[in-house]
Amino acid sequence: MCALPKCGKHLTYDAKVGTDTYVGEAAHIAGEKLGAARYDATMTDEQRDSVQNLIYLCTDHHTIIDKVEADWPTSTLQELKANHEKQVRQAMEEAFADVAFPELQNAVSWVANQAPAANGSFDLTAPDEKIKKNALSNGSRHIIAAGLTSRATVADYVEAEAQLDPDFPERLKAGFLEEYYARRKEGHKGDELFELMCAFAQRGLRRQADKTAGIAVLIYLFEICDVFEK
């Protein structure tokens, strides 16, 4: 959803839009270059392009906050971002309780066309240890903690699928690992990388229940294998 209250537009990262879905834009809170709205000369380029300085908006509101800069100072946008992300986390945490096999099946339907992973392990790693090693913030930690409540359901689903298709676990892992290493190669890390992986887990899904199931699968893999550094 667009981060501005009462907008109500459903946003997507890709160009597959419909009557109620629009391509979203990661808008800079403090402008990315000299002369841009709310430009802060004290910030580094890395800080300007970090997740902390980006707010997800529809194209209309992205234009508005930049053209009517006086009405949208940095402090106001930072507050809107914080409130929006808090609401999203709360909604996601509540939705994990409803994750079941049908939602998981929808969330990982793409696995059927994925080649199995060549190697790697499914050794259990303490989530706290991986969170620290990957420099994830409390916001990401809360999502991971909530997602772990669905761990048993996801594990049961993967085991059931493996009975019919022995390669299913490795194909599932391979898809996430391919995306993970591609994003790392681009230089993404920490919360930014985690958010990109969350977006990957939800791609093409419209129902919130299915999107939450996709996140539950990502968090399951976060704990048990080398999706994110051990």
Side-chain angles (χ1 to χ4, degrees):
M1 303 289 286
C2 177
L4 263 66
K6 300 182 180 179
C7 173
K9 288 181 180 175
H10 295 266
L11 306 180
T12 177
Y13 279 105
D14 58 35
K16 296 177 181 179
V17 299
T19 55
D20 65 343
T21 307
Y22 305 82
V23 175
E25 296 183 353
H28 286 80
I29 294 176
E32 62 179 323
K33 57 186 178 182
L34 186 63
R38 297 168 301 278
Y39 179 78
D40 182 351
T42 66
M43 296 176 68
T44 65
D45 288 341
E46 184 176 1
Q47 289 172 329
R48 292 188 186 96
D49 289 332
S50 71
V51 169
Q52 288 71 30
N53 190 47
L54 298 174
I55 183 169
Y56 202 45
L57 302 171
C58 66
T59 54
D60 291 341
H61 282 121
H62 188 177
T63 300
I64 289 171
I65 68 166
D66 286 349
K67 285 188 176 295
V68 194
E69 183 179 352
D71 292 343
W72 302 100
T74 299
S75 58
T76 296
L77 293 177
Q78 288 173 336
E79 184 178 0
L80 286 173
K81 173 183 170 70
N83 290 338
H84 179 67
E85 292 179 348
K86 181 179 179 181
Q87 290 172 356
V88 170
R89 283 196 300 270
Q90 289 175 340
M92 191 179 294
E93 289 169 6
E94 293 170 1
F96 279 122
D98 297 324
V99 170
F101 277 28
E103 289 77 24
L104 290 167
Q105 187 172 27
N106 290 335
V108 298
S109 59
W110 54 268
V111 173
N113 299 317
Q114 177 69 47
N119 49 43
S121 71
F122 277 88
D123 297 333
L124 190 67
T125 301
D128 269 351
E129 181 182 337
K130 289 191 80 171
I131 288 170
K132 291 176 182 176
K133 186 164 187 177
N134 289 277
L136 299 179
S137 69
N138 281 334
S140 297
R141 177 190 293 268
H142 289 157
I143 293 173
I144 292 169
L148 287 173
T149 63
S150 301
R151 172 176 45 196
T153 302
V154 179
D156 288 345
Y157 173 77
V158 172
E159 183 178 350
E161 287 294 313
Q163 297 300 313
L164 301 173
D165 175 8
D167 285 335
F168 177 82
E170 289 297 332
R171 288 211 309 271
L172 176 67
K173 182 173 69 170
F176 278 91
L177 282 174
E178 183 178 318
E179 178 71 9
Y180 171 69
Y181 287 121
R183 295 303 184 181
R184 275 190 58 183
K185 188 175 181 180
E186 292 172 354
H188 301 293
K189 56 186 177 181
D191 286 339
E192 186 175 56
L193 178 56
F194 182 73
E195 290 194 16
L196 287 170
M197 291 303 298
C198 286
F200 171 78
Q202 299 175 86
R203 73 198 190 288
L205 301 172
R206 296 292 299 275
R207 294 174 61 244
Q208 184 56 54
D210 295 339
K211 291 181 179 182
T212 303
I215 300 296
V217 172
L218 170 64
I219 293 168
Y220 166 77
L221 293 173
F222 175 89
E223 182 185 22
I224 70 166
C225 74
D226 40 357
V227 176
F228 286 89
E229 285 190 85
K230 288 187 177 181

